[in-house]
Amino acid sequence: MGIRSLGICGSLVLLAGCGGGDPQCTSEPQSAWMSEAAMQARVTQMGYKADVFKVSGNCYEIYGKDKDGRDVEVYFNPVTGEVVKSEVEG
């Protein structure tokens, strides 16, 4: 295998590792985050019912239901409360 082939294979391995996992929600320190209680209240106001609420990397994350009763996994920016990534099942 030539040097060029090794470089291409190495790049593909790195790209494959970057595709999954938690999104980047903020670069702010946790001291700038809204409290978990405030975020949970915001989640409810947005129409979600959180069965699980947790810190995931630099995000707040829920597993629960949306306003239509569909199963969701949602990542929120912990500073602004905005949805960063949402996955809806069903």
Side-chain angles (χ1 to χ4, degrees):
M1 188 179 291
I3 293 175
R4 181 179 168 103
S5 296
L6 286 174
I8 291 171
C9 289
S11 296
L12 291 174
V13 169
L14 288 175
L15 288 173
C18 295
D22 297 342
Q24 284 289 97
C25 296
T26 187
S27 59
E28 295 290 329
Q30 282 193 331
S31 61
W33 293 16
M34 72 175 68
S35 70
E36 289 187 25
M39 187 66 223
Q40 288 173 338
R42 183 173 173 96
V43 164
T44 301
Q45 289 173 346
M46 295 171 78
Y48 295 104
K49 181 185 177 295
D51 297 323
V52 174
F53 178 94
K54 65 181 189 171
V55 174
S56 183
N58 58 5
C59 306
Y60 282 137
E61 179 184 12
I62 67 159
Y63 294 93
K65 305 278 186 196
D66 67 7
K67 62 183 177 189
D68 298 320
R70 298 176 297 186
D71 290 327
V72 294
E73 177 183 2
V74 186
Y75 293 85
F76 299 90
N77 180 310
V79 177
T80 66
E82 295 176 355
V83 172
V84 174
K85 179 181 176 185
S86 177
E87 294 182 15
V88 179
E89 295 182 23

